[in-house]
Amino acid sequence: MRARLDQVIALLKGDQGADRIVPPSGFTVRLTLFTSAAMAFLTIFALALSLAAGRLGTSWGDELARASTIRISAPPEQMQEQVASVLRLLEQTPGVETARALSADEQRELLEPWFGPALPVEQLPVPQLIDVSETSDGYDADSLRLRLQAEAPGAVLDEHTRWRRPLVAAASRLRLLGWVSILLIGAATGAMVTLAAHAALAANAQVIAVLRLVGATDGYIAQAFVRRFTLRTLSGALAGTLAGMAALLLMPSAGDVEGLLTGLRFEGWQWLLPLVVPPLAALVAYIATSAAARRVLGGLA
Amino acid sequence: MIELDNVAYSYSGDALLTDISLQLAPGTFHFLTGPSGAGKTTFLKLCYGALKPTGGSVHIFGDDVTEMDRDAVAYMRRRVGVVHQDCQFLDHLSVAENVALPLSVSGQATPDQAENLNELMGWVGLQGKFDSLPPELSGGERQRAALARALILSPDVILADEPTGNVDWEMSQRLLRLLIELNRMGKTVMIATHDLGLIRAAKAHVQARVLRITNRTLQTAGADL
Ligand SMILES: Nc1ncnc2c1ncn2[C@@H]1O[C@H](COP(=O)(O)OP(=O)(O)OP(=O)(O)O)[C@@H](O)[C@H]1O
Ligand SMILES: [Mg+2]
């Protein structure tokens, strides 16, 4: 008898007791677990998408900033003049930040892999290269081409990376959308937990009434619900996060080819980021349930 | 302990109770009678802060109930043991856990309370029902469990609404003796009942005042009992 009494008292004591005062409800438990797992899974993908888009945007952006090149092929006697007029023209072109003719040494360095270090660049009819770096707005390539044609017929504008400019903008937009999605998922999790907590509080109106009558404070009652929903959300989100990370690990790799689809993964320390998702989900659940409990309990007579 | 000053109460429209003044002094024993629907339950609810008076003022342990916040009401309930007319339990917990519920919600559940719980369950004749669930109890057993639950925190005031409504004479005498015993230990007791036999039986053992609700107000019953 004594042992059983101790057992009863132990059950009623502390957190375990506070948890037990709310009757277990299998169905809503499973729904909350499932929803928070699904939300966490989606968050992982939105996170990976944001990070991948950010990475892509940065690396493409770096290449873009590295500029385009103008190649001038002209007979040696006209070379100086054409170079000068192209440089002058570039100086007046809006959207061009700097323009600089490469020196003979630099040109030799560029050609070295093919022709060896002893190449007498000065005596060969190699084209003169002009390095152009743009402002962030860029220049109007078509009009620049037209004017080059008029001023220096031997000049060719080589825009090897410009085609990526709209992609960089798209990547940065995609990254933004990824973060917005994460915020929305967080808000939806909060809304879901609020609904579930309201349902649980309403379903347990009699339990709450009895607890109030025997002297339970709102804080004590709320704690039972808050703990339950926080723990459920935490474990659901943990499962969803692990599933999401596993799914990313299993994404087929495309080697060095860089693209959004193949870049959908975490890199290095970024693998730690998803681990923040379950605690954050639990925090959202904690806040949502506390607010719901405060509202419902405060409204009781 | 509990002080009512010119209290009026109306659920909606007409006043159910008016002009009620009463002081429940420590260690007193009161019976509350009156026809069904007179407002006995309502009166008791006013005494433990479940209802706030629509007129006049109620002070419980010196605090005005209209100024108590919800936490203050919760703390006050731990000092007032209430047996409700329609006893409600947590149906998913055992009877023993339900009786010990006031201990756990007030953070006082300790192993040395086990003896206390055991003794109390014996007094109300529920030794065999430790592990039953409340829905498995008979009406009288529920009332006894509710009484045990009201007493577990050893409250200063005990308010019991028809605590013997569903039990046989034998058991009602037993419960009455328990309440009288508690009163001798200094507890303030108020019992709402229709059972004049119970009141007569009590008067042999204890100095009890009998209050009657008639004509919407509280009167001290005469010697006709
Ligand atoms: N929540 C409520 N809302 C409206 N009217 C109520 C409410 N509770 C009780 N009443 C009314 O107030 C009157 C008094 O009810 P109360 O329960 O206090 O009577 P009582 O004296 O305890 O009766 P009984 O002896 O049958 O228990 C009744 O007419 C009842 O209909
Ligand atoms: Mg009644």
Side-chain angles (χ1 to χ4, degrees):
Chain A
M1 183 61 114
R2 175 79 203 206
R4 199 170 50 186
L5 278 176
D6 288 349
Q7 208 181 333
V8 168
I9 301 285
L11 274 178
L12 289 172
K13 241 171 63 179
D15 297 333
Q16 209 182 355
D19 261 3
R20 273 174 55 78
I21 59 166
V22 183
S25 44
F27 189 57
T28 50
V29 177
R30 282 199 296 278
L31 277 185
T32 313
L33 277 173
F34 168 74
T35 319
S36 46
M39 292 296 190
F41 192 82
L42 294 176
T43 306
I44 299 308
F45 274 94
L47 192 61
L49 185 74
S50 287
L51 293 172
R55 258 198 314 271
L56 215 56
T58 312
S59 71
W60 286 353
D62 286 349
E63 283 175 42
L64 265 182
R66 240 181 285 140
S68 32
T69 322
I70 292 174
R71 193 163 19 94
I72 305 170
S73 318
E77 63 277 10
Q78 286 175 34
M79 188 58 104
Q80 284 299 87
E81 193 193 324
Q82 287 212 14
V83 169
S85 63
V86 167
L87 284 176
R88 204 166 42 246
L89 186 151
L90 286 172
E91 228 164 76
Q92 296 156 3
T93 307
V96 172
E97 195 151 80
T98 57
R100 187 178 62 86
L102 295 191
S103 69
D105 282 347
E106 286 173 311
Q107 299 235 56
R108 191 178 304 117
E109 225 170 87
L110 281 176
L111 295 172
E112 205 181 277
W114 288 278
F115 301 107
L119 188 70
V121 180
E122 294 85 349
Q123 282 135 53
L124 286 173
V126 287
Q128 171 68 45
L129 296 178
I130 294 179
D131 210 8
V132 182
S133 71
E134 314 168 28
T135 63
S136 54
D137 294 335
Y139 54 81
D140 180 350
D142 291 336
S143 85
L144 180 60
R145 244 187 221 110
L146 281 175
R147 292 169 62 202
L148 279 175
Q149 230 165 35
E151 302 254 340
V156 176
L157 174 60
D158 185 4
E159 299 180 279
H160 31 238
T161 55
R162 269 197 131 234
W163 62 274
R164 281 180 168 173
R165 183 177 288 278
L167 289 187
V168 171
S172 103
R173 183 62 53 86
L174 205 55
R175 181 173 60 171
L176 180 70
L177 284 178
W179 288 114
V180 169
S181 305
I182 290 173
L183 283 183
L184 285 177
I185 292 171
T189 305
M192 178 274 295
V193 173
T194 303
L195 286 174
H198 267 281
L201 287 161
N204 287 296
Q206 198 216 320
V207 168
I208 293 172
V210 170
L211 289 170
R212 285 291 303 175
L213 286 174
V214 299
T217 56
D218 284 350
Y220 180 87
I221 300 170
Q223 184 205 333
F225 288 92
V226 169
R227 262 180 64 88
R228 187 168 283 197
F229 278 98
T230 305
L231 291 178
R232 275 180 205 170
T233 309
L234 180 66
S235 43
L238 194 64
T241 299
L242 292 179
M245 288 169 79
L248 284 181
L249 269 177
L250 294 178
M251 283 278 289
S253 157
D256 284 342
V257 183
E258 201 174 9
L260 191 57
L261 288 175
T262 54
L264 205 58
R265 64 194 138 73
F266 298 107
E267 278 183 353
W269 66 270
Q270 291 178 344
W271 280 103
L272 294 178
L273 272 183
L275 299 180
V276 180
V277 171
L280 272 185
L283 182 69
V284 167
Y286 178 85
I287 294 171
T289 321
S290 304
R294 213 175 20 250
R295 212 166 29 242
V296 170
L297 292 172
L300 296 176
Chain B
M1 298 250 121
I2 298 181
E3 243 183 275
L4 292 86
D5 190 24
N6 259 322
V7 167
Y9 191 82
S10 50
Y11 281 105
S12 53
D14 283 353
L16 175 66
L17 301 170
T18 55
D19 224 4
I20 292 184
S21 295
L22 176 74
Q23 294 204 1
L24 279 188
T28 52
F29 200 112
H30 287 85
F31 281 103
L32 180 66
T33 63
S36 179
K40 297 184 294 298
T41 300
T42 307
F43 176 81
L44 288 181
K45 282 183 176 167
L46 287 166
C47 290
Y48 61 86
L51 295 175
K52 307 218 158 156
T54 48
S57 67
V58 176
H59 286 79
I60 305 178
F61 302 122
D63 296 324
D64 190 333
V65 288
T66 50
E67 276 155 27
M68 284 188 195
D69 60 19
R70 290 176 58 81
D71 278 353
V73 169
Y75 295 130
M76 176 269 288
R77 297 253 168 92
R78 295 175 189 176
R79 300 176 62 190
V80 181
V82 182
V83 183
H84 301 94
Q85 193 166 13
D86 56 334
C87 359
Q88 308 257 304
F89 297 94
L90 299 189
D91 289 343
H92 63 290
L93 296 183
S94 71
V95 171
E97 283 174 307
N98 266 288
V99 170
L101 196 60
L103 289 172
S104 38
V105 303
S106 59
Q108 298 173 40
T110 53
D112 45 296
Q113 296 279 3
E115 207 54 59
N116 206 348
L117 177 64
N118 200 10
E119 197 182 331
L120 202 51
M121 294 288 274
W123 256 105
V124 298
L126 290 176
Q127 306 92 322
K129 301 287 180 183
F130 263 80
D131 294 328
S132 308
L133 294 178
E136 300 163 3
L137 297 185
S138 73
E141 285 167 339
R142 285 175 76 85
Q143 278 182 324
R144 280 138 61 192
L147 179 62
R149 185 179 66 183
L151 299 178
I152 190 86
L153 280 181
S154 183
D156 303 326
V157 181
I158 298 152
L159 305 176
D161 199 349
E162 307 277 4
T164 57
N166 282 315
V167 299
D168 57 52
W169 178 247
E170 211 50 47
M171 181 53 76
S172 75
Q173 289 307 296
R174 195 184 158 86
L175 297 183
L176 183 66
R177 258 201 320 265
L178 172 60
L179 288 169
I180 289 172
E181 204 58 51
L182 290 165
N183 178 249
R184 291 221 174 97
M185 289 162 59
K187 315 272 181 208
T188 309
V189 178
M190 161 121 63
I191 303 172
T193 184
H194 288 117
D195 189 348
L196 299 187
L198 189 74
I199 300 178
R200 273 188 215 104
K203 283 203 151 179
H205 301 282
V206 71
Q207 184 83 33
R209 267 181 88 195
V210 180
L211 307 170
R212 179 193 288 278
I213 299 179
T214 41
N215 290 329
R216 307 190 299 169
T217 191
L218 201 63
Q219 287 165 350
T220 306
D224 53 321
L225 278 167

